[in-house]
Amino acid sequence: MNRKSWEVTGHGGAFVAHRAVTCAEKAPSRPATHEHAVLCFYVGGSAIVEQRGRHTLGAGDVLVIPAGEPHRVLTTESAELWGLGLCVPCLPSQELKPLLAPFERVRGGGSAVVTVPSDRHEHLVGLFRELGRETSAPPSPAGKLVVQSLVALILAEVLRAQPFPSPGTTSSNPPLVAEALDYIEKHCMQPISLADVAAAVRRSPAHVTTALRRATGKTAGEWIAAGRVAEAERLLISSDERIDIVAERVGYADPTHFIRVFRRARGMTPAAFRAAHRRGFTPDPV
C-alpha cells in the first residue's frame, strides 16, 4: 500500500500543499488537468513526469503547470515536494502579471522545468512554509496582503531561475488550446462566451469546443465558469457583499444563474459556502 502525506491550506486565490511519497505509486492511466496554475518544487527524491514530453525531476527542480495543461506523474522515488496552486483570474493581475511569465512561457512552448540554484533552496522552502502558515489562518485584510506578498516572492524565485528563451526556441503562435485558455484566464470576469473565445483564437466555436474538450476534458464555458467560481469563493470568504453583488463582480448579471453555476461546481449554494467557511470548514481545493 502506498504511504503518502498531504498538508493543504489555502484561501484568497492561492493554496499550498506539502507532500511526501515514501514508496512508488501507480501512474494514473490518463493525464490530469487542473483549474489552477500550479508550481511543484521538489526538495528531495525524484520523479518522472509527463508534460509535453518526459521530465526527470530532482531536488531543486520546479515543474510549471499552467491551468488546463495535461500532465501526470509516471514514477516517484522518495519524492518530497511543495506545491503552489493559483487561481490566475483571482489575482491582482496588474501587480503580479510580470511574475506569471513562467506559465506563459510554458504555454508558448517553453520548457516546463525550471531548476532553482542550490543557494536559494532553503529560502524558497521557507517561503512555502510561511505561506502555508498564512493560508491556514482565518482570512483578514492584513493576511490577504501577506499572502499576496509571499506568492509574489515565490513566483519571483521561479522567474529568476528560468532562463530567458533564445530566439526561435518557443512558439510565436501558441497552440490553439493554450491560446484559448490564456484568453479565458485574462477575460473570464467579463461577459464573454464561447463565440468570443473562438474569435480571439481565429477558429470556429465548434473547433474550439472540440479541441478544449479533447485536451482538458472541459469546454470553454466550463473553463469560464471555473475562473468565475474560484473568484466568487474568494469574495464570499473575504467580504460581506451580498450574493447578487458577488455574482455581478464575477460576470453574472443574473444572480439565480450564478447560484446554479456555483452549486453545480461546489455542491452547495454561495450562501452555504460562506456559512461553512465561517464555521471553520474549508472545502478541498479543486
Side-chain angles (χ1 to χ4, degrees):
M1 180 177 178
N2 294 339
R3 290 167 25 222
K4 58 187 178 180
S5 63
W6 284 92
E7 297 175 22
V8 182
T9 62
H11 60 68
F15 67 86
V16 181
H18 179 247
R19 183 184 188 194
V21 184
T22 56
C23 58
E25 295 181 340
K26 183 179 179 181
S29 58
R30 299 182 62 184
T33 60
H34 300 308
E35 294 177 358
H36 290 75
V38 175
L39 296 176
C40 294
F41 177 46
Y42 283 76
V43 297
S46 64
I48 298 177
V49 178
E50 184 178 79
Q51 183 181 326
R52 299 193 194 183
R54 292 193 177 189
H55 311 280
T56 300
L57 304 171
D61 289 330
V62 177
L63 184 67
V64 181
I65 312 173
E69 181 82 7
H71 64 283
R72 60 177 170 169
V73 178
L74 299 177
T75 65
T76 60
E77 184 175 342
S78 301
E80 181 182 359
L81 63 150
W82 286 88
L84 171 63
L86 297 173
C87 169
V88 173
C90 307
L91 299 174
S93 58
Q94 294 305 313
E95 292 85 353
L96 290 181
K97 183 176 179 180
L99 299 177
L100 298 174
F103 296 106
E104 296 177 359
R105 292 179 196 169
V106 173
R107 275 199 174 145
S111 174
V113 180
V114 177
T115 300
V116 176
S118 58
D119 63 347
R120 304 299 292 175
H121 291 186
E122 185 176 350
H123 175 64
L124 187 52
V125 169
L127 292 174
F128 274 106
R129 285 179 175 151
E130 190 61 31
L131 183 57
R133 283 191 285 267
E134 286 294 334
T135 53
S136 65
S140 68
K144 175 183 174 181
L145 292 175
V146 173
V147 167
Q148 290 178 1
S149 298
L150 290 166
V151 167
L153 289 171
I154 291 172
L155 292 174
E157 290 292 325
V158 177
L159 176 63
R160 289 166 180 164
Q162 184 181 45
F164 283 92
S166 301
T169 59
T170 59
S171 171
S172 60
N173 185 21
L176 169 63
V177 170
E179 194 174 4
L181 290 172
D182 185 62
Y183 179 84
I184 290 169
E185 273 188 352
K186 293 175 179 175
H187 299 88
C188 65
M189 300 306 163
Q190 303 167 15
I192 63 169
S193 65
L194 169 61
D196 297 306
V197 178
V201 300
R202 304 164 299 283
R203 296 290 193 279
S204 70
H207 189 121
V208 172
T209 295
T210 300
L212 278 171
R213 192 187 293 276
R214 283 179 178 173
T216 71
K218 293 184 174 67
T219 65
E222 288 170 329
W223 277 109
I224 292 169
R228 292 175 173 178
V229 168
E231 171 64 357
E233 286 183 329
R234 187 186 71 79
L235 293 172
L236 290 166
I237 294 169
S238 62
S239 77
D240 292 318
E241 291 181 332
R242 300 195 317 266
I243 302 301
D244 59 328
I245 300 299
V246 172
E248 185 177 358
R249 287 186 180 277
V250 299
Y252 292 103
D254 180 0
T256 302
H257 180 54
F258 163 66
I259 292 170
R260 285 199 300 268
V261 170
F262 192 98
R263 179 159 43 193
R264 187 162 57 243
R266 296 295 182 262
M268 63 180 76
T269 66
F273 177 87
R274 174 179 272 166
H277 260 275
R278 293 181 177 179
R279 289 196 303 269
F281 166 71
T282 304
D284 292 336
V286 177

